[in-house]
Each structure stands twice: as C-alpha cells, then as structure tokens.
Amino acid sequence: MSLRFELLASDAGTAARRGRITTTRSVIETPVFMPVGTAATVKALTQDMLEALDARIILANTYHLFLRPGHEVIRELGGLHRFMSWPRSILTDSGGYQVFSLGELRTISEEGVTFRSHLDGARLLLSPEVSMEVQIALGSDIVMAFDECPPYPASPEQVQCSLELTERWARRCRTYFDAHADRERQSLFGIVQGGVYPELRARSLEGLLEIGFEGYAIGGLSVGEEKHLMYDTTEFIAPRLPADKPRYLMGVGTPADLVESVARGVDMFDCVMPTRHARNGTVFTTTGRLNLRNARYVRDEQPLDPDCTCAVCRRYSRAYLAHLLRTGEILASVLATYHNVYHYLDLMRQIRHALEQGGFGRFRADFHRRQLSSEE
Ligand SMILES: CNc1nc2cc3nc(NC)[nH]c3cc2c(=O)[nH]1
Ligand SMILES: [Zn+2]
C-alpha cells in the first residue's frame, strides 16, 4: 500500500482540514510545510537539525539531482534517503518547472523538454518517462507528475493548450510509474494546471481524475500573478480536489499565504522563502519580517523573535546575527535558516492545534492582526 491519508477534522467555518499522511518512512501531520532540500540538502541545515525541528518530509529537486550527481550514482549508493542519510519522507518535484526557471535554451515538444544544462551546457532531455525513471531511482516517497507550468500571464488558449499537454504527459507518467515504481513505497501525485481560469482548472482536474493519482497538486500558481488571483484560483479548485487524498499547493508561500491557503482547503506546502531569505538576512517573526542587515539591529540584544522558543532565539541576539551577516560568517546562514524553518513548522503546528480545537477562525484573525508589517 502506498501512502495513506486520513481526514481527522474539517473546520466548520472554512475549507480548512486537519489530516495525516502515512508513508513507509514517516507520519506526516497536515497541514504541513515541506522544507526545500533542492540538491539533497536543506541549505545550511544538518539532518540532525531537521530532525530536531521535527520536519517529517522534505522536498528534493529532480532537475538538480539529474544533472549532478545523476540519478544512477544515487541509485547505486542505495537511493536518496541513504545517500543523504534522511530516514523520513521525501517528495521530489518532476523537473519541468526548474527547466523553465533555470535551464538555458529549451524546446518543448510532445516528447518532452530538451534543454542545455546550466552547469556545462550539455543538451539533455526531460520527458515524462525520464522524470519518472529519475524519481523512481531516487527512491522518492512522493513522485510528482511531469507537467508544464505555463508562463504568467498567458491567454486562455495558451493555458488550455498547455493543460492538454500536461494531461497527455500525466497519462504517460502514470503508465511508466505503474510499470516501474515500487508501489508499496512510492506514490504518484498529479498536478492540476489551468492558469487563473476556473473553467480550465476544472477541465484539467477532470482529465487527471480519469487517470487517478494518490494525491493532487495545484500547479501554475505563485508564478507572478496578483495575490488575489492566487487565492481565488486556490479557493475554486482546492475544495474540488478529492477530499480523501492530499492536496498540495506548489511553491507557496509567505506565512500569510499558508494561513489563507489552509483556509481554502490545502494540506501541503513547499517554498524556498524561509531558507533563501535566511541566507540574505531576512528572518520571519510573529509581527512580520526583519532585515537583520539594517543598522537598527547592530546593538539590539533581543532575540530574533521575542515570541519564538527556538534554540536560536533562546541563545543568540539580533546584534550577534547582524554581526555574522555583515562579516559573511557561515554561521549566519545556519542560525537564520534554523529559526526561519522553525517559524514555518511552528506556524503549521499552531494551525493544526487550532483545527483540532475548532479555533482556526480565531487563530486566522489573530494571526493577521499580529502581522503588523506589510507582506509582499
Ligand atoms: C514540478 N511541477 C511543478 N512545479 C511547480 C513549482 C512551483 N513553484 C512555484 N512558485 C515558487 N510555482 C510553481 C508551479 C509548479 C508547477 O506548476 N509544476
Ligand atoms: Zn526562533
């Protein structure tokens, strides 16, 4: 049996739900945030730190591992869990999105995407079959279908053409996955496209439901569209995804986005913000973001977030972090990342607790009141 999803509670006032995903590697309480571990590492954190943070699942990028060290190397070394010594769950994306945002010249055909490696310029092909082969070789617990994320903005015609290609690719993924994956341990998620057009979203979902997946992701958002379009599209499609399967909103988002998307029915999230922002000195707090490179923190002896109970906030000051950042010390990335990932995982813990207590509506209102400084 691949992953199991249990629906534990549904919020009375919103589409929010409390659930639990069980893979062969870990129990994942939902709603859940997945730290992004692009090339087999959540940058600046050790696996011990991730376990201390109680992360139950992390994300890895197929594109990066396909290019370096290559999925064959990782397969020969026993798979990604063994290679990076991470015994809990791993979700791998399918590589398409990275090719669009990273790869050099690329051409899309019915077969797949050919592109030049951003490392050495070699011409490579990523296709539904290659993407599945790579993710299966990595030993991924949750495999993402190979899809096309249309550019934003895009006309309804462009989006429809793209979602139809994604649907044909999804069927090829399902066929290859069912023939080659270890279905006791690995699950395949489909990705709904359709841009910001409700009728195209419904159309994309219809096609994926016919194929059938162990979970469903919402793709094509958080690609530069206005926030209300992301929220409205999520509000339309998330509750239409099967209630008995996990719902994953890809690439989202800020803490406020997480609260608002949970309210619209989403169970799973991934985003590079907590890790990427940490490395350039931006830390998340209950009242908004701080840029620790700002001069005002040079003599500020407070913890990063006075309301945070993480190991970093219990020991170090803003002044110390500001010093580490200004001097380019490696420890700056480690401490800021640890706190930011704690902040995201703790927010999800608070959301799950509120859902268990029937107090999500009040939590949501209190959260927005506390976020004094504006979010992007
Ligand atoms: C792996 N396939 C796939 N990944 C994605 C990752 C994303 N990350 C963002 N914002 C940071 N939007 C995304 C959309 C997709 C998408 O439509 N498909
Ligand atoms: Zn902290």
Side-chain angles (χ1 to χ4, degrees), residues 93-94 97 147 149 191 193 219-223 250-251:
D93 82 350
S94 47
Y97 182 79
D147 65 330
C149 175
I191 304 177
Q193 293 292 349
L221 292 179
S222 187
V223 288
M250 307 186 84

PDB file of all heavy atoms in Angstrom, residues 93-94 97 147 149 191 193 219-223 250-251, ligand 1:
ATOM      1  N   ASP A  93      10.111  16.928  -6.838  1.00  0.00           N
ATOM      2  CA  ASP A  93       9.339  17.539  -7.918  1.00  0.00           C
ATOM      3  C   ASP A  93       9.810  16.868  -9.195  1.00  0.00           C
ATOM      4  O   ASP A  93      10.747  16.060  -9.180  1.00  0.00           O
ATOM      5  CB  ASP A  93       9.515  19.049  -7.910  1.00  0.00           C
ATOM      6  CG  ASP A  93      10.782  19.487  -8.611  1.00  0.00           C
ATOM      7  OD1 ASP A  93      11.617  18.626  -8.928  1.00  0.00           O
ATOM      8  OD2 ASP A  93      10.942  20.684  -8.836  1.00  0.00           O
ATOM      9  N   SER A  94       9.197  17.189 -10.335  1.00  0.00           N
ATOM     10  CA  SER A  94       9.464  16.355 -11.520  1.00  0.00           C
ATOM     11  C   SER A  94      10.430  16.995 -12.509  1.00  0.00           C
ATOM     12  O   SER A  94      10.761  16.396 -13.528  1.00  0.00           O
ATOM     13  CB  SER A  94       8.143  16.079 -12.245  1.00  0.00           C
ATOM     14  OG  SER A  94       7.425  17.291 -12.369  1.00  0.00           O
ATOM     15  N   TYR A  97       9.344  22.393 -13.963  1.00  0.00           N
ATOM     16  CA  TYR A  97       9.330  23.792 -13.510  1.00  0.00           C
ATOM     17  C   TYR A  97      10.740  24.362 -13.452  1.00  0.00           C
ATOM     18  O   TYR A  97      11.003  25.480 -13.864  1.00  0.00           O
ATOM     19  CB  TYR A  97       8.671  23.870 -12.142  1.00  0.00           C
ATOM     20  CG  TYR A  97       8.557  25.271 -11.599  1.00  0.00           C
ATOM     21  CD1 TYR A  97       7.564  26.136 -12.043  1.00  0.00           C
ATOM     22  CD2 TYR A  97       9.470  25.737 -10.659  1.00  0.00           C
ATOM     23  CE1 TYR A  97       7.466  27.428 -11.553  1.00  0.00           C
ATOM     24  CE2 TYR A  97       9.383  27.023 -10.164  1.00  0.00           C
ATOM     25  CZ  TYR A  97       8.378  27.857 -10.614  1.00  0.00           C
ATOM     26  OH  TYR A  97       8.292  29.131 -10.124  1.00  0.00           O
ATOM     27  N   ASP A 147       4.969  17.856 -15.646  1.00  0.00           N
ATOM     28  CA  ASP A 147       3.950  18.748 -16.196  1.00  0.00           C
ATOM     29  C   ASP A 147       4.606  19.956 -16.843  1.00  0.00           C
ATOM     30  O   ASP A 147       5.804  20.179 -16.730  1.00  0.00           O
ATOM     31  CB  ASP A 147       3.025  19.216 -15.065  1.00  0.00           C
ATOM     32  CG  ASP A 147       3.777  20.079 -14.061  1.00  0.00           C
ATOM     33  OD1 ASP A 147       4.993  19.862 -13.899  1.00  0.00           O
ATOM     34  OD2 ASP A 147       3.165  20.957 -13.455  1.00  0.00           O
ATOM     35  N   CYS A 149       4.347  24.033 -16.585  1.00  0.00           N
ATOM     36  CA  CYS A 149       3.792  25.177 -15.871  1.00  0.00           C
ATOM     37  C   CYS A 149       3.770  26.340 -16.854  1.00  0.00           C
ATOM     38  O   CYS A 149       4.823  26.843 -17.245  1.00  0.00           O
ATOM     39  CB  CYS A 149       4.676  25.524 -14.674  1.00  0.00           C
ATOM     40  SG  CYS A 149       4.150  27.026 -13.817  1.00  0.00           S
ATOM     41  N   ILE A 191      -0.699  16.885 -11.145  1.00  0.00           N
ATOM     42  CA  ILE A 191      -0.611  18.342 -10.963  1.00  0.00           C
ATOM     43  C   ILE A 191      -1.653  19.037 -11.832  1.00  0.00           C
ATOM     44  O   ILE A 191      -1.611  18.946 -13.062  1.00  0.00           O
ATOM     45  CB  ILE A 191       0.798  18.864 -11.319  1.00  0.00           C
ATOM     46  CG1 ILE A 191       1.868  18.133 -10.481  1.00  0.00           C
ATOM     47  CG2 ILE A 191       0.875  20.376 -11.109  1.00  0.00           C
ATOM     48  CD1 ILE A 191       3.295  18.518 -10.804  1.00  0.00           C
ATOM     49  N   GLN A 193      -3.357  22.023 -13.688  1.00  0.00           N
ATOM     50  CA  GLN A 193      -2.982  23.291 -14.259  1.00  0.00           C
ATOM     51  C   GLN A 193      -4.258  24.075 -14.614  1.00  0.00           C
ATOM     52  O   GLN A 193      -5.305  23.850 -13.997  1.00  0.00           O
ATOM     53  CB  GLN A 193      -2.076  23.082 -15.490  1.00  0.00           C
ATOM     54  CG  GLN A 193      -0.713  22.494 -15.147  1.00  0.00           C
ATOM     55  CD  GLN A 193       0.176  23.431 -14.354  1.00  0.00           C
ATOM     56  OE1 GLN A 193      -0.110  24.636 -14.193  1.00  0.00           O
ATOM     57  NE2 GLN A 193       1.268  22.900 -13.813  1.00  0.00           N
ATOM     58  N   GLY A 219      -0.696  23.277  -9.506  1.00  0.00           N
ATOM     59  CA  GLY A 219       0.474  23.905 -10.119  1.00  0.00           C
ATOM     60  C   GLY A 219       0.069  25.217 -10.768  1.00  0.00           C
ATOM     61  O   GLY A 219      -1.073  25.661 -10.673  1.00  0.00           O
ATOM     62  N   GLY A 220       1.059  25.862 -11.391  1.00  0.00           N
ATOM     63  CA  GLY A 220       0.762  27.049 -12.188  1.00  0.00           C
ATOM     64  C   GLY A 220       0.437  28.294 -11.406  1.00  0.00           C
ATOM     65  O   GLY A 220       0.019  29.307 -11.960  1.00  0.00           O
ATOM     66  N   LEU A 221       0.638  28.248 -10.082  1.00  0.00           N
ATOM     67  CA  LEU A 221       0.399  29.460  -9.271  1.00  0.00           C
ATOM     68  C   LEU A 221       1.702  29.897  -8.610  1.00  0.00           C
ATOM     69  O   LEU A 221       2.705  29.192  -8.678  1.00  0.00           O
ATOM     70  CB  LEU A 221      -0.689  29.188  -8.224  1.00  0.00           C
ATOM     71  CG  LEU A 221      -2.092  28.968  -8.776  1.00  0.00           C
ATOM     72  CD1 LEU A 221      -3.080  28.684  -7.648  1.00  0.00           C
ATOM     73  CD2 LEU A 221      -2.577  30.176  -9.596  1.00  0.00           C
ATOM     74  N   SER A 222       1.658  31.063  -7.952  1.00  0.00           N
ATOM     75  CA  SER A 222       2.867  31.632  -7.368  1.00  0.00           C
ATOM     76  C   SER A 222       3.946  31.787  -8.439  1.00  0.00           C
ATOM     77  O   SER A 222       5.101  31.422  -8.261  1.00  0.00           O
ATOM     78  CB  SER A 222       3.376  30.731  -6.232  1.00  0.00           C
ATOM     79  OG  SER A 222       4.458  31.362  -5.574  1.00  0.00           O
ATOM     80  N   VAL A 223       3.468  32.274  -9.594  1.00  0.00           N
ATOM     81  CA  VAL A 223       4.384  32.491 -10.729  1.00  0.00           C
ATOM     82  C   VAL A 223       4.347  33.958 -11.171  1.00  0.00           C
ATOM     83  O   VAL A 223       4.627  34.286 -12.308  1.00  0.00           O
ATOM     84  CB  VAL A 223       4.027  31.578 -11.927  1.00  0.00           C
ATOM     85  CG1 VAL A 223       4.410  30.144 -11.619  1.00  0.00           C
ATOM     86  CG2 VAL A 223       2.536  31.698 -12.263  1.00  0.00           C
ATOM     87  N   MET A 250       1.799  24.049  -4.815  1.00  0.00           N
ATOM     88  CA  MET A 250       3.238  24.066  -5.089  1.00  0.00           C
ATOM     89  C   MET A 250       3.814  25.479  -5.047  1.00  0.00           C
ATOM     90  O   MET A 250       3.263  26.405  -5.619  1.00  0.00           O
ATOM     91  CB  MET A 250       3.511  23.435  -6.465  1.00  0.00           C
ATOM     92  CG  MET A 250       2.881  22.048  -6.604  1.00  0.00           C
ATOM     93  SD  MET A 250       3.332  21.218  -8.119  1.00  0.00           S
ATOM     94  CE  MET A 250       4.911  20.525  -7.588  1.00  0.00           C
ATOM     95  N   GLY A 251       4.937  25.595  -4.300  1.00  0.00           N
ATOM     96  CA  GLY A 251       5.694  26.844  -4.311  1.00  0.00           C
ATOM     97  C   GLY A 251       5.124  27.946  -3.449  1.00  0.00           C
ATOM     98  O   GLY A 251       5.470  29.114  -3.623  1.00  0.00           O
TER      99      GLY A 251
HETATM  100  C1  LIG B   1       7.029  20.002 -10.678  1.00  0.00           C
HETATM  101  N1  LIG B   1       5.945  20.720 -11.330  1.00  0.00           N
HETATM  102  C2  LIG B   1       5.608  21.954 -10.969  1.00  0.00           C
HETATM  103  N2  LIG B   1       6.293  22.602 -10.009  1.00  0.00           N
HETATM  104  C3  LIG B   1       5.919  23.892  -9.705  1.00  0.00           C
HETATM  105  C4  LIG B   1       6.657  24.594  -8.746  1.00  0.00           C
HETATM  106  C5  LIG B   1       6.307  25.911  -8.451  1.00  0.00           C
HETATM  107  N3  LIG B   1       6.880  26.832  -7.621  1.00  0.00           N
HETATM  108  C6  LIG B   1       6.129  27.954  -7.755  1.00  0.00           C
HETATM  109  N4  LIG B   1       6.379  29.132  -7.119  1.00  0.00           N
HETATM  110  C7  LIG B   1       7.564  29.304  -6.336  1.00  0.00           C
HETATM  111  N5  LIG B   1       5.094  27.790  -8.603  1.00  0.00           N
HETATM  112  C8  LIG B   1       5.185  26.523  -9.068  1.00  0.00           C
HETATM  113  C9  LIG B   1       4.428  25.804 -10.013  1.00  0.00           C
HETATM  114  C10 LIG B   1       4.805  24.494 -10.333  1.00  0.00           C
HETATM  115  C11 LIG B   1       4.093  23.751 -11.347  1.00  0.00           C
HETATM  116  O1  LIG B   1       3.113  24.220 -11.957  1.00  0.00           O
HETATM  117  N6  LIG B   1       4.525  22.479 -11.623  1.00  0.00           N
END
